[in-house]
Amino acid sequence: MPSTAEINYRRLKKLCLDSGAGLFGVADISGIKKDFLLSPGILPKCASAVVLGAGLCRGVLEDINGAPTRLYFHHYKIVNSFLDMTAFKLAGFIQKQGYFSLPIPATQIVDWKKQSAHLSHKKIGYLAGIGWIGRNNLLVNKELGAAFRLTCVLTDMPVKRDKPSKENCASCRSCVNVCPGKAIGERPEDFDHMKCFEQMKIFQGPRQVEQYVCGVCIKVCGRKNEG
C-alpha cells in the first residue's frame, strides 16, 4: 500500500501537470533553507519544496540572434506569470489539506549584481531531480536543455522527495562559444557572474525593458553540433 507521502506526491504531480506544467519534482531542502531570504519564523515549516516548470517556446528562441529580442522578453514574462499562477493554485490546494504552503515567485531578484533572490530555484530544481547545473550556470534538463523556467512551493506536507540528478553536460560545449559576454568556462564553477551581468546591462539599455535577460546560451543549450 502506498504511503501518505507517495499518495501526496501523486496528487500534487497530477495537479501541476493537469494545469499545464511540463516539469515536476520535490526536493528535500533541509540542508539549504538556512540560506533562504525569508522570515526565520517560517523556516521550520519549510520541510520540502514542490518544484514545477514550464518549457520555453523553441520558435521564440530561434528568433534570438546574438542578443535577446522583445519577443523573447515578453515570452519570458508570460511563462513566469503562468508558473506563478500555477504555484498559487498548488499552494491553495496544499493549504486546504491543512498544511503550510508558501509559493515563491518564478522571478523576483533581490540583488541583480549578486543575482540573488529569496531562494535559488535552480539549486532546488537540482535537488528535485529536474536537471543538473550546466556550464552556463543554469539548470539543464536532459530533454529541454536550459529552455525552461521554474518556480516552487514550500510546504510541511509529507511528500515523497526526488533524488538529485547524476548527469552533466559531458562533451557538450554549445553555450561556451556563443556567450556574448564570454562568461562561460569549461566548468560550472568557472562561470563569471559579473561578466554575465555586465552583458545583460548592455542588452537592457537599448531594448528599454525593465528586466535583465539574454537567452543566447539557452537557445543552443544541448545542441552539441553547435558548440
Side-chain angles (χ1 to χ4, degrees), residues 1-201:
M1 174 179 287
S3 65
T4 299
E6 291 172 327
I7 292 172
N8 286 337
Y9 182 96
R10 295 175 188 174
R11 294 171 74 192
L12 298 183
K13 182 175 183 178
K14 185 177 188 305
L15 186 154
C16 291
L17 298 186
D18 287 351
S19 297
L23 297 169
F24 178 88
V26 178
D28 177 357
I29 57 174
S30 58
I32 63 170
K33 63 182 180 180
K34 65 181 185 300
D35 299 321
F36 293 175
L37 301 180
L38 298 170
S39 169
I42 67 171
L43 289 180
K45 301 177 182 179
C46 303
S48 301
V50 182
V51 185
L52 53 148
L56 298 174
C57 177
R58 277 292 173 189
V60 173
L61 294 176
E62 288 301 327
D63 193 45
I64 294 174
N65 185 21
T69 63
R70 291 184 182 276
L71 185 63
Y72 173 68
F73 177 66
H74 177 75
H75 184 60
Y76 181 92
K77 291 194 299 181
I78 290 297
V79 175
N80 287 336
S81 179
F82 162 74
L83 287 171
D84 285 343
M85 291 301 296
T86 307
F88 174 75
K89 181 178 179 180
L90 175 64
F93 174 82
I94 293 173
Q95 185 168 288
K96 285 182 180 179
Q97 311 309 307
Y99 298 103
F100 169 82
S101 65
L102 178 62
I104 302 297
T107 179
Q108 191 174 56
I109 300 299
V110 176
D111 185 327
W112 271 105
K113 287 189 176 182
K114 294 181 180 179
Q115 296 188 33
S116 59
H118 291 102
L119 50 74
S120 171
H121 291 303
K122 173 178 64 179
K123 185 177 293 185
I124 292 175
Y126 164 73
L127 294 175
I130 300 293
W132 63 92
I133 306 301
R135 289 185 171 88
N136 55 7
N137 197 46
L138 299 175
L139 192 67
V140 180
N141 176 269
K142 62 181 179 181
E143 295 179 354
L144 298 178
F148 61 93
R149 299 289 300 160
L150 291 176
T151 191
C152 68
V153 175
L154 306 181
T155 184
D156 60 357
M157 172 185 265
V159 59
K160 184 188 73 170
R161 282 91 165 255
D162 291 292
K163 301 293 185 182
S165 172
K166 294 183 179 180
E167 299 183 82
N168 56 53
C169 295
S171 63
C172 180
R173 289 172 173 77
S174 298
C175 62
V176 177
N177 294 330
V178 301
C179 177
K182 305 301 179 185
I184 304 173
E186 277 297 303
R187 305 172 303 166
E189 52 266 38
D190 294 331
F191 181 81
D192 192 319
H193 288 272
M194 286 309 301
K195 283 185 177 180
C196 177
F197 177 66
E198 291 301 322
Q199 184 62 53
M200 288 194 292
K201 283 202 296 185

